Amino acid sequence: SYFTDPVGALSFVPTRLALGFLPALSRALGDRRRDAIRTFRKDLGVRPVRARTTEMISDATFRMPVLAVADAMAPRVPVWVYRFDQPVVGRGGKLGATHGADLGALSDHEDGWTDLYGDEQLPDVVVHGLQDAVIHFARTGDPNHDGLPDWPRYDLQRRAILRLSTDPAILDDPYAGHRPAWVGIPFDGSVLHAIPEDVE
């Protein structure tokens, strides 16, 4: 939402056309673009076109690459995955829990990030939940601590993800409905394969 909010056209441009402005994503989906959009329609239900487009872009650029790495690493080493779900109040509170929102919690310093946080501070439970998880992981190799629910390792059966917010909880495979849209898409571990012409 941080990147799509300024694009007013996304409120009315159909998702299939909006994806055309993202060449790497369009190329990756190829002739499966309509099927992918149908998958999101089914999973998200009746939501504005902007929400569907934003979800697909979020999946392609952030979620699915992270989960692809988690899927690849989990059989070999301990992996834990979290989703920062604390909404920010900047830009009138319409961004929700957007890209970069966890940085203020991690640094415990929201000052200077008014675009995201406005004049408010993140709740202590969120700040300490994230900071203590990072500290415990660095010290012990396990992010679990008393301020969080029991956070299981990520595996390919349960795909457990910690929802980090004022009401932290463990979510089992929260993107199961999205995943069919991305089967076979060539994530390289961070982003879709882009070519120089995509940014000209």
Side-chain angles (χ1 to χ4, degrees), residues 133-142:
V134 171
I135 290 167
H136 276 258
F137 182 75
R139 285 180 177 162
T140 69
D142 186 325

Side-chain angles (χ1 to χ4, degrees), residues 10 29 33 42 47 49 56-57 61-62 66 85 87 91 131 149 155 160 164 174 187 192:
L10 291 183
L29 288 171
R33 183 165 40 177
K42 180 179 177 184
R47 290 182 65 185
V49 64
M56 289 191 77
I57 292 169
T61 55
F62 300 111
V66 165
D85 246 16
R91 295 195 198 174
Q131 288 180 351
D155 61 42
L164 190 55
F187 296 112
L192 291 167

Side-chain angles (χ1 to χ4, degrees), residues 38-198:
R38 282 192 204 100
T39 297
F40 272 77
R41 277 195 190 116
K42 180 179 177 184
D43 190 52
L44 298 175
V46 180
R47 290 182 65 185
V49 64
R50 170 183 285 279
R52 183 170 55 247
T53 302
T54 298
E55 283 290 311
M56 289 191 77
I57 292 169
S58 294
D59 263 17
T61 55
F62 300 111
R63 286 188 202 119
M64 292 302 147
V66 165
L67 294 178
V69 171
D71 284 354
M73 297 301 292
R76 298 174 177 83
V77 296
V79 172
W80 288 266
V81 177
Y82 77 89
R83 181 178 85 189
F84 192 83
D85 246 16
Q86 185 63 33
V88 294
V89 299
R91 295 195 198 174
K94 59 187 174 179
L95 297 180
T98 190
H99 177 68
D102 56 341
L103 296 177
L106 189 58
S107 65
D108 197 14
H109 189 74
E110 296 94 329
D111 297 341
W113 299 68
T114 53
D115 189 44
L116 284 181
Y117 305 107
D119 295 324
E120 295 190 18
Q121 299 294 305
L122 287 165
D124 283 345
V125 66
V126 175
V127 171
H128 295 300
L130 181 56
Q131 288 180 351
D132 291 349
V134 171
I135 290 167
H136 276 258
F137 182 75
R139 285 180 177 162
T140 69
D142 186 325
N144 278 283
H145 62 85
D146 291 342
L148 296 175
D150 184 37
W151 184 3
R153 286 170 50 173
Y154 183 91
D155 61 42
L156 299 184
Q157 290 73 48
R158 186 174 176 188
R159 289 189 164 95
I161 295 176
L162 169 70
R163 180 188 69 205
L164 190 55
S165 67
T166 53
D167 182 26
I170 303 302
L171 309 176
D172 288 335
D173 202 2
Y175 302 109
H178 294 205
R179 192 175 297 107
W182 305 110
V183 172
I185 299 299
F187 296 112
D188 68 359
S190 60
V191 294
L192 291 167
H193 292 282
I195 57 176
E197 291 79 10
D198 293 342

